[in-house]
Amino acid sequence: MTYSESVLDLPPNRLFKYRSFDLGHESTQPYARDRAIIEDNALWASSPISFNDPFDCIPAFDRSGTTDEHKAFAERWVERKEPYVSGVDRLQNRSLANTFIKTGIGLTDNQCVQLWRDQIKRYGVVCLAERPDDMLMWAYYSDGHRGYCLEFDTSHEPMSQAHRVIYTKERTVFRPLASDRSELMERTTLRKAQFWEHEREWRIISRPVGRLAFPAAALKAVILAAHIRKEDEQAVRSMVARRKPDIALKRAILDQRTFCLSIVPA
């Protein structure tokens, strides 16, 4: 599947969000994030630089380019800098621009990564899944089957804006000297390594990082994990009871004969 096909591909009728409980710390009360979702209809779009995969949303860098590309980059660079600097600094910028033209961009791979991370951290990502009964997803993202899973109706925004993640062996390539950077951020945030393919992930990309509201009708159910703690289950039941409109409460249970989960009413 290509990037263009991924963007045009409509999400399934339901998408799911696996979660661990927010048990609080010095600045927040326990279950603060959980209440924000279940009672206040707001997800949290996280910065990609906090993700567990160090390759996630980080492209490969190619610093090659033609003489014309070097010149165009230098001119763009000076144009951005000059309105904010003094006459002496302006001359220094021109000198550095001439160096760019002659020798290329003198950045190491690590410097390129850091500059990219400074850009990508401005974007928020909400990660969603196609299934509510995936044993590995419960283990990875729901505190080892002790959290919960949210069921969303994708006919509502922003769920309707979710895009399928593409899994490949090759990373997106970013050429700093390239003049066309259209869709680069989206291409990068929607591509992951092939070894994550089992997750069948969909992503909502937002800007900035932080609270992402959704209509109350979008949340259809909360699914309790198979090994949820009693106090956490009681907390969820209280949140669901206070919510309007009403939503379903379900439970994941371990099958007695196979390595599978079943989702049943709670």
Side-chain angles (χ1 to χ4, degrees):
M1 174 178 288
T2 66
Y3 166 77
S4 297
E5 290 170 337
S6 171
V7 169
L8 293 175
D9 198 9
L10 295 176
N13 292 335
R14 293 287 191 270
L15 285 173
F16 302 88
K17 176 71 174 174
Y18 292 88
R19 277 194 51 81
S20 299
F21 282 101
D22 176 10
L23 299 181
H25 48 77
E26 292 182 1
S27 61
T28 65
Q29 296 296 317
Y31 307 119
R33 287 277 178 91
D34 311 306
R35 286 195 299 271
I37 299 171
I38 298 173
E39 296 183 35
D40 299 332
N41 307 310
L43 288 165
W44 187 265
S46 301
S47 167
I49 63 175
S50 67
F51 288 173
N52 59 352
D53 178 2
F55 286 119
D56 205 339
C57 298
I58 304 295
F61 295 92
D62 178 1
R63 295 190 298 279
S64 66
T66 65
T67 300
D68 287 343
E69 285 178 325
H70 281 91
K71 183 178 180 180
F73 176 88
E75 290 174 350
R76 292 196 304 272
W77 188 85
V78 170
E79 186 178 326
R80 287 197 302 269
K81 293 284 187 180
E82 282 196 343
Y84 309 102
V85 299
S86 65
V88 173
D89 289 334
R90 188 173 292 116
L91 290 175
Q92 291 177 341
N93 283 332
R94 288 290 180 182
S95 176
L96 185 55
N98 288 329
T99 301
F100 287 163
I101 295 171
K102 294 177 182 178
T103 62
I105 304 173
L107 296 176
T108 66
D109 286 341
N110 287 339
Q111 288 172 324
C112 285
V113 169
Q114 186 55 53
L115 288 171
W116 179 264
R117 286 168 66 89
D118 289 342
Q119 295 295 317
I120 197 69
K121 70 182 181 183
R122 303 174 187 177
Y123 288 76
V125 179
V126 175
C127 303
L128 302 165
E130 291 184 2
R131 294 172 48 191
D133 58 353
D134 190 303
M135 289 291 294
L136 292 178
M137 296 293 279
W138 280 104
Y140 295 158
Y141 305 114
S142 193
D143 191 22
H145 297 260
R146 290 185 290 270
Y148 62 97
C149 182
L150 302 155
E151 178 180 335
F152 289 104
D153 179 350
T154 61
S155 65
H156 302 277
E157 291 187 2
M159 287 70 198
S160 61
Q161 299 171 345
H163 299 301
R164 187 192 298 275
V165 170
I166 303 168
Y167 300 95
T168 68
K169 294 181 180 179
E170 303 294 333
R171 295 163 67 181
T172 298
V173 175
F174 173 40
R175 290 181 60 242
L177 290 177
S179 59
D180 182 8
R181 299 187 182 184
S182 60
E183 302 178 342
L184 175 64
M185 200 65 68
E186 290 79 4
R187 288 177 185 272
T188 305
T189 54
L190 294 176
R191 178 171 295 195
K192 291 186 69 174
Q194 200 167 41
F195 49 74
W196 292 108
E197 191 169 14
H198 64 279
E199 292 193 346
R200 288 178 285 190
E201 184 179 348
W202 292 71
R203 286 182 168 179
I204 301 170
I205 311 301
S206 72
R207 187 172 181 179
V209 172
R211 184 183 175 93
L212 183 65
F214 59 85
L219 181 59
K220 293 301 181 183
V222 177
I223 305 168
L224 306 174
H227 290 163
I228 190 171
R229 292 174 285 261
K230 289 183 179 179
E231 59 270 28
D232 294 336
E233 177 174 341
Q234 184 56 51
V236 171
R237 287 185 177 275
S238 297
M239 295 175 212
V240 170
R242 290 191 293 268
R243 180 183 170 80
K244 298 296 180 184
D246 295 341
I247 58 173
L249 190 62
K250 303 178 182 180
R251 184 187 303 277
I253 61 172
L254 302 177
D255 189 88
Q256 296 300 309
R257 295 181 178 274
T258 67
F259 297 110
C260 297
L261 287 171
S262 297
I263 308 299
V264 301

